[in-house]
Amino acid sequence: MNPAIDDASARPRAGDPSPARHRRNGHRHHRPRRPDITEVERQIAGLANRSTQDLRVAWRQLHPGPPLGLSRDLLIRALANQLQEQSYGGVGRALRRRLQSLAGESDKATMTVDPGVVLKPGTTLVRQWRGHTHTVLVHNDGFEHEGQRFRSLTAIAERITEAHWSGPRFFGLTRRARAVAGAKARR
């Protein structure tokens, strides 16, 4: 029995609206009281101290058996996820339906996947940043900026801005970046 639920102070007092009334009046974010977060954290931290064999036994209690080749790290992560789902709830019905719908479309091959922008070698990207023009040359195996080779546009964007940026977004190659640019142009 959970002492937090059985505690007399957790029971509604006379005249207090019931939790059901809160939900009917539009307070859909009202949820049952969460368990003590330190208990969940303690359980998750304890997973790292368990042997791989113990982790596999714990996995078998939840699933038919660990998939072959599942690393210790992934076993710990999966078990931690399960503990969090038990404590805080899992995926909502709407998201579960959406995921099932997407999986069905994928199985039927009716879903199209947008691979994003594919840059051809030789393409030059130009970006103004704080008064300086930055030019990037696209190669078969990466990108070149100021005579240095980089594996990703994100690495270049981070070097230019000295902060984490999505490289494709920084250089205006994503839908969101184009939408923002279009909105600014219409003003």
Side-chain angles (χ1 to χ4, degrees), residues 117 127 166-175 177-178:
V117 177
R127 172 68 152 90
S166 160
R169 183 178 295 171
F170 180 79
F171 286 99
L173 302 174
T174 62
R175 287 184 187 163
R178 286 187 295 245

Side-chain angles (χ1 to χ4, degrees), residues 31-186:
R31 293 199 171 114
R33 186 174 170 182
R34 290 183 172 179
D36 186 9
I37 195 161
T38 56
E39 174 62 21
V40 174
E41 288 175 349
R42 185 189 62 73
Q43 290 176 353
I44 291 172
L47 292 173
N49 298 330
R50 293 172 71 177
S51 70
T52 303
Q53 186 60 30
D54 286 344
L55 294 171
R56 290 182 194 281
V57 169
W59 176 277
R60 283 188 197 101
Q61 291 172 349
L62 301 171
H63 306 285
L68 296 175
L70 192 62
S71 70
R72 175 182 167 76
D73 180 57
L74 286 177
L75 276 171
I76 291 171
R77 288 171 187 257
L79 291 169
N81 180 63
Q82 186 67 31
L83 286 169
Q84 289 172 336
E85 279 188 4
Q86 288 171 351
S87 297
Y88 308 119
V91 176
R93 282 184 282 164
L95 180 57
R96 194 175 309 116
R97 279 194 307 267
R98 178 70 178 137
L99 291 172
Q100 287 172 344
S101 169
L102 289 171
E105 290 175 19
S106 177
D107 289 343
K108 294 181 220 166
T110 59
M111 184 174 71
T112 59
V113 177
D114 180 12
V117 177
V118 177
L119 299 172
K120 294 181 181 177
T123 302
T124 302
L125 304 173
V126 180
R127 172 68 152 90
Q128 292 279 349
W129 179 256
R130 297 194 174 163
H132 298 284
T133 302
H134 297 275
T135 306
V136 174
L137 180 62
V138 178
H139 292 278
N140 283 330
D141 59 345
F143 305 91
E144 183 178 333
H145 175 256
E146 295 180 344
Q148 269 190 301
R149 297 293 286 263
F150 294 87
R151 293 176 61 193
S152 71
L153 287 174
T154 298
I156 297 170
E158 288 178 353
R159 179 162 185 222
I160 292 170
T161 63
E162 298 178 351
H164 179 73
W165 267 78
S166 160
R169 183 178 295 171
F170 180 79
F171 286 99
L173 302 174
T174 62
R175 287 184 187 163
R176 182 173 176 186
R178 286 187 295 245
V180 169
K184 287 182 180 178
R186 288 188 288 269

